[in-house]
Amino acid sequence: MIDGSSLFARLRGPSLRGLAAGLLGSVLAAIVPARAEPVFPPAGSLGLAPPAGMSPAKGFSGFEHRSGASIILMEMPPEAWDQISQKFTPEALAASGFRVKGAREALPVAGGEGFVLRGSQSANGLTYRKWVAVVRGQPGTGLVSVQVPEAAAKQVPGQAVEAALRTIAFRGKASVADQVAALPYAIGDTAGYRPVIVFAGNGLILTEGPKDVDPERAQPAIVIAPSLGQAPVPEGAEAAYARRLFASQKDARDLAVTDEERTTRGGAVVVRLRGTFTDAKTARPMAATQTVVFENDRYLRVLGFADAEKSDALARAERVAASVAMR
C-alpha cells in the first residue's frame, strides 16, 4: 500500500516538484481544455471556433460539414441590433418554420453581448437541429445560424455546437473593396453602380447615389445573392423557382411579372424576369429585373430595382447580371 504522506515527502526536490506540477497541469488541461481561437472568413469581422470536422465553407461565409451541417455567419450594421433583437422571439420565428424550444438565453461574447435561441426546423425533407445567435460588438451586429441534420447529431453533437457559440468574437472590419474581393464570384461590369454592403459573406448590395443605406428605395439598387447550399432545382423547374424568388421580395406588394426569358450560358440555365411592384412603405411605383443563373447544384440571383421611371437603371442592372461569374 502506498503511503500518501511519504509520497508527498519524496516530491520535495525541485525537479520532482516540477514533475508533479507538470502532471497536474496535464490532468487539468484534459479536464478543462483551453479556449479555442476563433476562425474568421476572408475579410470577415465575425468568427468562431467551429466544431471538429467542420471547415470553412466555399460558397458562403461560415463553416460546413460533409454531413450537411452548416454554420452561417451574417454581418450587419450596428443599428441592426435593436430591430433584430426585438424580432427574434419564439413567436416571430414560428412563421419561418423554426420551432423554438425554451426561451432565448444570454450568450457571452468577447467585447460585446448576445443571445441564443435553440430548436428545430424542417427543410428539403429533412429535420435539422437549429441554433440562432444574435450578437453585437464594436464592428457591428452579427447573426450566427447553425443547422445540423438529425441524422448527423453524433457527427456534430450539440455540446460541440454550444462550445463553438461561446467562442464567437469580432475583429476589425475590412474595407468594402477587400470584402468584395473575397466574394465567391466576380463582377466584370458595375455599369455605374458602386458596392456598398457585403452580407453573409457572399451577398452584395450595389447602389447608384450618395446614400449607403436607403430604406426608402429612392436610389436604384442591385442585390446579388448565391444560394446557400439548398437542394438543387430540378431540371425544367427553373422558371417556376425564379418566379417564387421574384415574389419573395420584402416590403413589396402588387408584384407582377411583365416579361420572362429563358436562355443558356455555357452549361447553365438563365432565367430573366422583368416586373413591377409597389413599395409597401412609400407606395412608390417600382420596376424590377431579376436574373437567376442555375448551374449544377447552385444558383446565383441578381435582383435590380428602381423607380418605375428609371428604365436606364434597370438596363444597366442587367449588364451587371450578365457580367457576374462564379470564381
Side-chain angles (χ1 to χ4, degrees), residues 108-163:
V109 177
E113 63 178 314
F115 62 85
V116 61
L117 292 156
R118 307 172 180 85
S120 62
Q121 187 167 14
S122 298
N124 302 321
L126 298 174
T127 299
Y128 294 84
R129 300 179 68 185
K130 187 166 184 175
W131 292 256
V132 173
V134 181
V135 297
R136 69 170 170 179
Q138 191 278 327
T141 302
L143 180 64
V144 180
S145 178
V146 185
Q147 293 190 142
V148 179
E150 287 284 5
K154 290 185 178 179
Q155 298 179 66
V156 185
Q159 299 95 318
V161 173
E162 294 287 347

Side-chain angles (χ1 to χ4, degrees), residues 22 47-48 53 87 114 119 122 161 186-187 201 231 235 249 266 278 286 313 318:
L48 55 73
K87 289 186 176 181
S122 298
V161 173
I187 304 171
E235 184 177 354
Q249 294 182 57
T278 302
M286 306 289 291
E318 291 178 352

Side-chain angles (χ1 to χ4, degrees), residues 237-258:
E238 295 91 354
Y241 196 89
R243 282 178 172 264
R244 286 199 295 273
L245 289 175
F246 189 79
S248 68
Q249 294 182 57
K250 185 180 178 182
D251 296 327
R253 57 182 174 82
D254 303 325
L255 278 156
V257 175
T258 59

Side-chain angles (χ1 to χ4, degrees), residues 50-311:
M54 298 196 79
S55 57
K58 297 179 180 178
F60 59 90
S61 179
F63 306 91
E64 55 191 354
H65 190 273
R66 62 182 180 277
S67 66
S70 63
I71 299 177
I72 299 174
L73 306 174
M74 181 177 293
E75 299 178 28
M76 291 162 285
E79 54 268 23
W81 168 263
D82 290 336
Q83 182 179 8
I84 292 179
S85 61
Q86 293 173 9
K87 289 186 176 181
F88 273 63
T89 64
E91 297 75 21
L93 292 172
S96 68
F98 181 21
R99 297 185 296 276
V100 178
K101 297 180 181 178
R104 73 185 197 182
E105 180 182 308
L107 182 68
V109 177
E113 63 178 314
F115 62 85
V116 61
L117 292 156
R118 307 172 180 85
S120 62
Q121 187 167 14
S122 298
N124 302 321
L126 298 174
T127 299
Y128 294 84
R129 300 179 68 185
K130 187 166 184 175
W131 292 256
V132 173
V134 181
V135 297
R136 69 170 170 179
Q138 191 278 327
T141 302
L143 180 64
V144 180
S145 178
V146 185
Q147 293 190 142
V148 179
E150 287 284 5
K154 290 185 178 179
Q155 298 179 66
V156 185
Q159 299 95 318
V161 173
E162 294 287 347
L165 292 176
R166 279 160 176 75
T167 67
I168 292 174
F170 288 92
R171 69 177 180 181
K173 202 168 187 66
S175 68
V176 173
D178 287 341
Q179 293 178 62
V180 171
L183 290 170
Y185 50 85
I187 304 171
D189 182 6
T190 56
Y193 286 84
R194 61 184 180 88
V196 288
I197 297 174
V198 173
F199 61 94
N202 71 353
L204 176 65
I205 297 176
L206 304 95
T207 191
E208 182 181 54
K211 298 179 181 178
D212 287 350
V213 180
D214 180 30
E216 304 299 321
R217 296 201 229 211
Q219 299 177 169
I222 299 172
V223 181
I224 304 176
S227 56
L228 291 177
Q230 291 96 330
V233 176
E235 184 177 354
E238 295 91 354
Y241 196 89
R243 282 178 172 264
R244 286 199 295 273
L245 289 175
F246 189 79
S248 68
Q249 294 182 57
K250 185 180 178 182
D251 296 327
R253 57 182 174 82
D254 303 325
L255 278 156
V257 175
T258 59
D259 184 63
E260 178 180 317
E261 181 181 23
R262 185 183 188 277
T263 58
T264 58
R265 183 189 303 172
V269 173
V270 181
V271 178
R272 187 186 67 189
L273 301 177
R274 292 174 181 154
T276 60
F277 66 94
T278 302
D279 187 286
K281 294 181 178 179
T282 65
R284 178 186 290 111
M286 306 289 291
T289 177
Q290 175 187 274
T291 299
V292 186
V293 182
F294 298 90
E295 185 174 13
N296 300 324
D297 59 349
R298 62 184 182 180
Y299 66 80
L300 177 72
R301 181 192 188 201
V302 182
L303 173 68
F305 56 84
D307 187 283
E309 297 180 356
K310 298 180 178 179
S311 59

